[in-house]
Amino acid sequence: MNILVTGGAGFIGSHLVRTLQAAGEQVTVLDNFSTGLFANLPAGTQVVEMDVNSRKLESVFATGHFDAVVHLAGQTTVHISMDNPSLDGEENIIGSIHILEQARRHGVKRVIFASTAASYGDVAEDRLPIVESEPLAPLSFYGLSKVAVEHYLRLYQQAFGLGYVVLRFANVYGERQGDGGEGGVISIFAKRLAEGKSLTIYGDGQQTRDFIYAGDIAAGIYAALRTPHVNHTYNLSTQSETSLNELVHILGKVAGVTLQPDYQEARPGDIYKSLLANGRARRSLDWEPRVGLQEGLRRTYEYFCCQHAAKA
């Protein structure tokens, strides 16, 4: 396949590009490098430095002849969306429309869209783990923007026949992650721990997340590119719930230290408990998560230790 990966120089994109290249697929990365890094990409990767809102976007599609697009580009931080909803809408909704429009005009067969657990909002505990049919009730403008694009995808399919797969990610973590994004708590903790700094938890620490390693997300995206079960939505998750207090404990074990985090007031827009069911993805995508939390944290912590040592 000839695949365009928007936001491919970012955290998840850097894992996906490696997965696709290892499978022998032809990959082009489109990234504006506002948060992505050239250093995240393997040497020799074909890169177009461009924003998804650029007027030159059509030329990329016209010359690229892509079979599929994996759309990862966008604003990924909840608190930024709450502080600046217009920025979030411009990058996540308008930018996505530009990608969909060029895809349908230039014969792209399938678009894989990176959506989010934040689409569901704060679901009652008796409805966990959350299945894909759960009503969507986002608490943040970030989650709302993702829901909006999901609706655009469905209408583009109905109106123009553009195939799609929506993937609602749980909280993704791993090497090369920045400080933002929904799973960013792990990268923040691992980076601060590598630097010998203290950790801060916003809230009581009992809030939970479904943390999934980025390599497993990359494998899920590749499965979505190949599946015959298109025009559907799938959760990509571990279907395992971890509190922030438990996370700190496991991370301390990985680092060989005892951690005592500082607790601060919870932030607006944050979901208290999140746990996604993954049965549909296991059945229809023939996919399952393979990297456990302790192993994933070890890889992530060692990465940030190496980064810190290189700067010292």
Side-chain angles (χ1 to χ4, degrees):
M1 281 183 287
N2 183 11
I3 304 163
L4 177 69
V5 180
T6 72
F11 158 52
I12 295 174
S14 71
H15 286 262
L16 176 62
V17 167
R18 286 167 170 78
T19 296
L20 295 177
Q21 290 177 341
E25 307 295 356
Q26 184 176 341
V27 182
T28 300
V29 167
L30 186 143
D31 204 298
N32 67 1
F33 293 94
S34 59
T35 56
L37 300 170
F38 280 103
N40 285 346
L41 296 170
T45 301
Q46 184 171 335
V47 178
V48 178
E49 186 172 358
M50 186 180 294
D51 192 273
V52 293
N53 285 317
S54 171
R55 294 184 178 182
K56 298 179 181 179
L57 186 64
E58 183 174 9
S59 65
V60 178
F61 280 82
T63 59
H65 307 292
F66 304 113
D67 299 307
V69 174
V70 179
H71 184 35
L72 302 174
Q75 195 292 114
T76 63
T77 305
V78 168
H79 72 83
I80 288 177
S81 80
M82 301 302 288
D83 291 339
N84 194 345
S86 61
L87 171 67
D88 191 78
E90 183 71 23
E91 295 194 6
N92 289 355
I93 299 176
I94 302 303
S96 296
I97 294 171
H98 288 154
I99 291 295
L100 296 181
E101 186 62 10
Q102 295 307 322
R104 71 104 170 176
R105 288 178 180 270
H106 292 93
V108 171
K109 299 179 181 66
R110 185 176 303 185
V111 174
I112 312 299
F113 177 59
S115 192
T116 172
S119 299
Y120 297 111
D122 212 351
V123 177
E125 288 189 48
D126 62 2
R127 297 188 66 81
L128 300 179
I130 304 168
V131 297
E132 289 86 350
S133 58
E134 179 72 25
L136 304 181
L139 297 179
S140 65
F141 293 107
Y142 166 70
L144 180 60
S145 69
K146 292 292 189 175
V147 171
V149 177
E150 289 189 20
H151 286 298
Y152 270 95
L153 281 159
R154 294 185 187 98
L155 192 51
Y156 261 80
Q157 198 283 321
Q158 294 170 19
F160 308 121
L162 178 62
Y164 73 87
V165 175
V166 170
L167 299 175
R168 293 181 185 143
F169 300 159
N171 294 78
V172 190
Y173 71 95
E175 306 94 321
R176 297 180 295 279
Q177 186 173 21
D179 291 345
E182 298 167 85
V185 63
I186 287 181
S187 68
I188 293 169
F189 283 2
K191 182 178 180 180
R192 290 186 66 84
L193 187 55
E195 295 172 350
K197 298 178 180 178
S198 62
L199 308 184
T200 299
I201 289 178
Y202 293 94
D204 60 10
Q206 294 303 315
Q207 59 267 51
T208 64
R209 294 293 182 269
D210 186 337
F211 294 109
I212 183 166
Y213 181 64
D216 285 332
I217 289 290
I221 294 171
Y222 190 39
L225 284 164
R226 294 175 294 158
T227 184
H229 305 292
V230 294
N231 307 328
H232 294 294
T233 298
Y234 302 94
N235 292 332
L236 292 187
S237 70
T238 63
Q239 199 169 314
S240 178
E241 197 174 10
T242 304
S243 73
L244 295 190
N245 288 333
E246 291 173 315
L247 175 66
V248 168
H249 175 71
I250 298 170
L251 189 55
K253 286 177 60 178
V254 166
V257 297
T258 300
L259 300 174
Q260 294 294 333
D262 176 41
Y263 291 88
Q264 299 289 334
E265 185 177 351
R267 296 176 298 191
D270 282 347
I271 294 168
Y272 193 66
K273 289 186 177 289
S274 181
L275 176 64
L276 302 188
N278 62 17
R280 181 185 288 182
R282 287 175 179 268
R283 293 188 301 271
S284 296
L285 301 183
D286 192 24
W287 166 89
E288 63 180 6
R290 298 186 179 277
V291 179
L293 182 58
Q294 185 162 327
E295 171 61 19
L297 287 177
R298 183 191 64 78
R299 297 182 191 183
T300 305
Y301 175 64
E302 289 181 356
Y303 167 78
F304 282 107
C305 284
C306 290
Q307 292 290 104
H308 179 62
K311 295 177 181 178

